[in-house]
Amino acid sequence: MPLLERERQVLTTIVESYIADAAPVGSRTVAKKSGLNLSPASIRNIMADLTEQGYLEQPHASAGRIPSARAFRLYINEVMRLRPLAESQKNRIATLLGAAGPELGDILRQVSRILSGHSLQVSLVIAPRHADARWKRIEFTLIKPGLVMAILILQGGMVLDRLLETSPDITADDLVASANYLNHLFGEMTVSEVRAKLLAELRKAESQFGELYRRALTLAAEAFAPESTRELFVDGTANIVNQPEFSDVGRMGELLRVLENRTKLLELLDKSMDEFKTVFILGEESQLESFRDFGSISTPYGPGDHPLGALGVIGPVRMDYARLAPVLNYTARVLTKMLDRRF
Amino acid sequence: MPLLERERQVLTTIVESYIADAAPVGSRTVAKKSGLNLSPASIRNIMADLTEQGYLEQPHASAGRIPSARAFRLYINEVMRLRPLAESQKNRIATLLGAAGPELGDILRQVSRILSGHSLQVSLVIAPRHADARWKRIEFTLIKPGLVMAILILQGGMVLDRLLETSPDITADDLVASANYLNHLFGEMTVSEVRAKLLAELRKAESQFGELYRRALTLAAEAFAPESTRELFVDGTANIVNQPEFSDVGRMGELLRVLENRTKLLELLDKSMDEFKTVFILGEESQLESFRDFGSISTPYGPGDHPLGALGVIGPVRMDYARLAPVLNYTARVLTKMLDRRF
DNA sequence: TCTGGCACTCTTGTGGCGAGAGTGCCAGAC
DNA sequence: GTCTGGCACTCTCGCCACAAGAGTGCCAGA
């Protein structure tokens, strides 16, 4: 059953007070802050109901209430108003990002630093997912007989390189021809489209084409085979020691362990890429036992038609989502523009 | 004045006991473990002397002694015997490293993971320093008029890429010619040698050479200009919560802050590269106030004639240096061989 | 020169106690 | 019926005192 208006208002007050103070909230405080003009005693009744419905939790009998993940979920979905960034803050973010080094890695690292600085949480930035980027050009370079460096240039200045072992009789000229052929065949497709097409072409080549094309396709297939680990930039781990929920070292260790589990972090961020919008994941929702006490926000970046990567922050369930989401969104927008400008 | 043999033996006992237990050591314990056949009372006298000389510290009047950084320095320089790795451990390291992905980044990340797993400390791996790597080949690719991607392939499979803005009338053929010229000029030199020579050539080009060569050199100069941030792989931060010295959250925050200061971490590791040997840095020796309570070990990797990068661990001053140094050395050796095999 | 003995210091753990915060429930007011 | 003031109850937290334990420094004697 849906919450009564009063109940919702009490819950909102509790959530916002808890976000601000990280301390259990008592009926007296709610009575004063809620604007409902009810006495603490009445508030207590409402709070008892909310507790029964799973929105509030009581650390112990005389300690006030703490909003549950469920309460945060309701707050995020139905109550929260995002607080737009001040112009001055936007300027600061844009300026800092402009000061990043020239390489893609430098830029993403800087984004990560900016986010952790502005959120005072741990920040995550995932490098563009190759599969969604457009192929610009491939080059093969003969290092020595039998060893070829394949270099794939993708949209946004991403460069993928892979060392390939080949038959020793492949010449530099063969490689140039192969590259030309492949560039012609695959130009401007996304990598995942290339992957699909590659399989089809390889089958065709078996029967129809000449040796050269078969070779070119084989090279490409090898260069593409295993998606290499996506790069992930993490910053701001030092921030968490300042948060009251991490005064307990054990809790801190849990977060550090989560942060070392790259696969799980990627999963968290990928969701925002798949849905192409800002995504909030709270505690249990992550399907990850060790994430129970944490929350995350993530936002995709990339041009309008398809996301390239995502950025996010991770912290205690009690985060100031209304303030942080706009920070992420704005940063993602600036980053997208920067990448766009590259090509 | 040098220590008496007895004093040194007592000190060694204390250091080793402290490394094992992380607890202050009392005279009774030393009397039992030292093998000196002295009573606790005599040991107490010796310990008083050592305290006076700055080798021991007393947390409070009745708590046993703790070895100072100075004591660890003495221990490392004059007493410690490195404990060679068991064959089984060597095998495990080699196997794990073999399971790394194909790209250079994958390999270094895996090294970092292996080190943190085997040391139970925080591990650091620094990517090869470009300056010391040999130039293999440069390629320029025209992305669109006025925008060129420069790709520099270095020894060991390192690939540097940089986006350059150029005059819009440069053609793809110009670029090929430039690359050929540069590859001819700089092949097999180290990057820092190239940098030096580049300056000289640029001056010559002003007066003597034609437009094309000037252009090639200018491109190269741009591609080389700012050394981009070196990549640094950190792993095992979750390990530190298990160490007694970090039961205090503040201490932990200090370490996390150090770990986010990439410049300082690079300085720590660079020392082992400059001296081309394993280096131990203890507390104050780092010239870094916030490093007072920590220690580090680092080892260079790379072929015999010049180091490419370094790897290390960082943890409390009380680390098992005798066990960890061989782990680092062996890992560095395996890594060097892997890079060598690439080219 | 070494050792046993002894007084002294400091930490750590425990239990008791009071203050403070917050709750739940009830009887009465509106 | 709904709201409220009052009250008893519970639990945490800080404080204090106290005892046990670990370790020291020093001294007198072997």
Side-chain angles (χ1 to χ4, degrees):
Chain A
M1 65 193 163
L3 289 182
L4 300 174
E5 180 52 32
R6 304 203 305 181
E7 291 178 327
R8 169 192 300 254
Q9 208 159 333
V10 166
L11 191 54
T12 304
T13 310
I14 293 177
V15 168
E16 290 178 348
S17 162
Y18 186 65
I19 286 176
D21 302 337
V25 188
S27 54
R28 224 181 93 83
T29 316
V30 177
K32 270 191 291 186
K33 288 193 189 168
S34 72
L36 275 177
N37 255 341
L38 288 180
S39 78
S42 314
I43 299 290
R44 280 204 285 281
N45 288 326
I46 300 174
M47 285 168 77
D49 292 346
L50 287 170
T51 307
E52 212 168 311
Q53 291 172 74
Y55 290 107
L56 296 178
E57 284 159 11
Q58 223 171 345
H60 56 263
S62 82
R65 303 305 214 277
I66 284 179
S68 66
R70 187 171 179 198
F72 275 101
R73 173 50 65 195
L74 181 83
Y75 177 75
I76 288 171
N77 287 354
E78 303 183 15
V79 182
M80 174 174 82
R81 288 263 156 276
L82 296 184
R83 287 204 296 287
L85 264 65
E87 280 307 313
S88 65
Q89 246 192 327
K90 288 190 184 176
N91 286 338
R92 213 164 52 234
I93 290 175
T95 315
L96 282 171
L97 197 44
E103 285 190 63
L104 183 61
D106 297 327
I107 296 176
L108 298 178
R109 203 186 334 275
Q110 180 77 342
V111 168
S112 185
R113 178 124 301 196
I114 291 171
L115 282 183
S116 65
H118 277 72
S119 66
L120 298 183
Q121 307 288 355
V122 178
S123 68
L124 307 173
V125 177
I126 188 176
R129 179 155 67 185
H130 307 140
D132 295 331
R134 298 199 178 285
W135 161 310
K136 290 288 171 180
R137 191 179 287 272
I138 200 168
E139 306 265 354
F140 296 109
T141 302
L142 190 61
I143 301 288
K144 64 183 184 193
L147 197 61
V148 168
M149 174 70 84
I151 293 185
L152 181 60
I153 303 180
L154 300 175
Q155 169 191 28
M158 257 181 296
V159 174
L160 272 177
D161 53 275
R162 186 144 309 151
L163 218 46
L164 307 178
E165 299 193 11
T166 62
S167 89
D169 57 330
I170 287 192
T171 66
D173 286 344
D174 290 345
L175 291 174
V176 172
S178 298
N180 284 341
Y181 171 62
L182 293 170
N183 284 327
H184 176 71
L185 197 61
F186 295 130
E188 292 299 320
M189 293 170 72
T190 71
V191 170
S192 56
E193 286 163 356
V194 171
R195 281 221 186 83
K197 184 156 181 184
L198 201 50
L199 287 177
E201 290 289 322
L202 264 175
R203 263 195 297 276
K204 254 199 282 177
E206 289 291 332
S207 49
Q208 299 176 352
F209 298 145
E211 171 67 10
L212 179 64
Y213 298 119
R214 197 149 54 238
R215 229 177 220 175
L217 290 170
T218 314
L219 277 175
E222 267 194 72
F224 272 81
E227 165 108 39
S228 80
T229 350
R230 277 191 287 167
E231 267 198 286
L232 190 59
F233 299 84
V234 179
D235 200 7
T237 43
N239 287 335
I240 61 181
V241 300
N242 299 321
Q243 312 224 6
E245 26 267 290
F246 295 108
S247 56
D248 158 40
V249 179
R251 185 72 59 85
M252 192 138 165
E254 271 179 59
L255 181 52
L256 290 177
R257 254 189 304 281
V258 170
L259 290 176
E260 285 186 353
N261 187 341
R262 307 176 74 81
T263 327
K264 280 298 171 188
L265 293 181
L266 290 180
E267 275 176 32
L268 283 181
L269 292 176
D270 272 349
K271 197 162 172 227
S272 74
M273 288 180 64
D274 294 343
E275 307 186 6
F276 206 2
K277 64 169 195 193
T278 301
V279 164
F280 305 84
I281 298 177
L282 309 177
E284 309 98 8
E285 296 172 2
S286 68
Q287 313 280 15
L288 188 60
E289 169 54 22
S290 50
F291 198 74
R292 201 190 43 241
D293 297 323
F294 310 120
S296 74
I297 319 177
S298 58
T299 300
Y301 65 81
D305 49 347
H306 65 281
L308 285 171
L311 37 88
V313 297
I314 184 168
V317 184
R318 167 197 75 86
M319 275 194 290
D320 191 352
Y321 300 96
R323 181 178 81 79
L324 295 182
V327 173
L328 291 184
N329 290 336
Y330 181 72
T331 312
R333 218 156 51 233
V334 179
L335 174 59
T336 301
K337 247 186 250 157
M338 277 186 82
L339 294 182
D340 241 17
R341 209 173 312 134
R342 302 185 78 165
F343 54 91
Chain B
M1 64 191 161
L3 289 183
L4 301 173
E5 180 50 32
R6 304 204 309 180
E7 291 179 325
R8 168 191 301 253
Q9 208 159 330
V10 166
L11 190 55
T12 303
T13 309
I14 294 177
V15 168
E16 290 178 348
S17 163
Y18 186 66
I19 286 177
D21 303 337
V25 188
S27 54
R28 225 181 92 84
T29 316
V30 177
K32 270 191 290 184
K33 287 193 190 169
S34 71
L36 275 177
N37 254 342
L38 289 179
S39 77
S42 314
I43 300 288
R44 280 204 285 280
N45 289 325
I46 300 173
M47 284 167 78
D49 292 345
L50 287 171
T51 307
E52 211 168 312
Q53 291 172 74
Y55 289 107
L56 296 178
E57 285 159 10
Q58 222 170 346
H60 56 264
S62 82
R65 304 305 214 277
I66 284 179
S68 66
R70 188 171 179 198
F72 275 102
R73 173 49 66 194
L74 181 83
Y75 177 75
I76 288 171
N77 287 354
E78 303 184 14
V79 181
M80 174 174 82
R81 288 263 155 278
L82 296 184
R83 286 205 297 287
L85 264 64
E87 279 308 312
S88 65
Q89 247 192 325
K90 289 189 183 177
N91 286 338
R92 212 163 54 233
I93 290 175
T95 315
L96 282 171
L97 197 43
E103 285 191 62
L104 183 60
D106 298 327
I107 295 176
L108 298 177
R109 204 185 335 272
Q110 180 76 342
V111 168
S112 185
R113 178 124 301 194
I114 291 170
L115 283 183
S116 65
H118 278 72
S119 65
L120 298 182
Q121 306 288 356
V122 179
S123 68
L124 308 172
V125 176
I126 188 176
R129 179 154 68 185
H130 306 141
D132 295 330
R134 299 200 178 284
W135 162 308
K136 289 288 170 180
R137 191 178 288 273
I138 199 166
E139 306 266 353
F140 297 109
T141 302
L142 190 61
I143 302 287
K144 64 184 185 193
L147 197 60
V148 168
M149 174 71 84
I151 292 184
L152 181 60
I153 303 179
L154 300 175
Q155 170 190 28
M158 257 181 295
V159 174
L160 272 177
D161 54 274
R162 184 144 310 153
L163 219 46
L164 307 177
E165 299 193 12
T166 61
S167 89
D169 57 331
I170 288 192
T171 68
D173 286 345
D174 290 344
L175 292 175
V176 171
S178 298
N180 284 341
Y181 170 62
L182 293 171
N183 285 326
H184 175 73
L185 198 59
F186 296 129
E188 291 300 321
M189 293 169 72
T190 71
V191 170
S192 56
E193 287 163 356
V194 170
R195 282 221 185 83
K197 183 155 182 185
L198 201 49
L199 287 177
E201 291 288 322
L202 263 175
R203 261 195 300 275
K204 253 198 283 178
E206 289 291 332
S207 49
Q208 298 176 353
F209 298 143
E211 172 66 10
L212 179 63
Y213 297 119
R214 198 150 52 239
R215 229 176 221 176
L217 290 170
T218 314
L219 278 176
E222 267 193 72
F224 272 81
E227 165 109 39
S228 82
T229 350
R230 276 190 287 167
E231 266 197 287
L232 190 59
F233 299 84
V234 179
D235 200 6
T237 43
N239 287 334
I240 61 179
V241 299
N242 298 322
Q243 314 224 2
E245 27 268 289
F246 295 109
S247 57
D248 158 40
V249 179
R251 186 72 59 84
M252 192 139 162
E254 271 179 59
L255 181 52
L256 289 177
R257 254 189 304 281
V258 170
L259 291 176
E260 285 186 355
N261 187 341
R262 306 176 75 81
T263 327
K264 282 297 171 188
L265 292 181
L266 290 180
E267 276 175 31
L268 284 180
L269 292 176
D270 272 348
K271 198 162 171 226
S272 74
M273 288 180 63
D274 295 343
E275 306 186 6
F276 206 2
K277 63 169 196 193
T278 301
V279 164
F280 304 83
I281 298 178
L282 308 178
E284 308 98 9
E285 296 172 4
S286 69
Q287 314 279 14
L288 188 61
E289 170 55 22
S290 51
F291 198 74
R292 202 190 42 240
D293 297 322
F294 310 120
S296 75
I297 320 177
S298 59
T299 299
Y301 65 81
D305 49 346
H306 65 280
L308 285 171
L311 39 87
V313 298
I314 184 168
V317 184
R318 169 197 74 87
M319 275 194 290
D320 191 351
Y321 300 96
R323 182 178 79 80
L324 295 182
V327 173
L328 290 184
N329 290 336
Y330 180 73
T331 312
R333 217 155 54 232
V334 179
L335 174 60
T336 301
K337 246 185 251 159
M338 279 187 79
L339 294 182
D340 242 16
R341 209 175 311 134
R342 296 178 71 130
F343 52 92

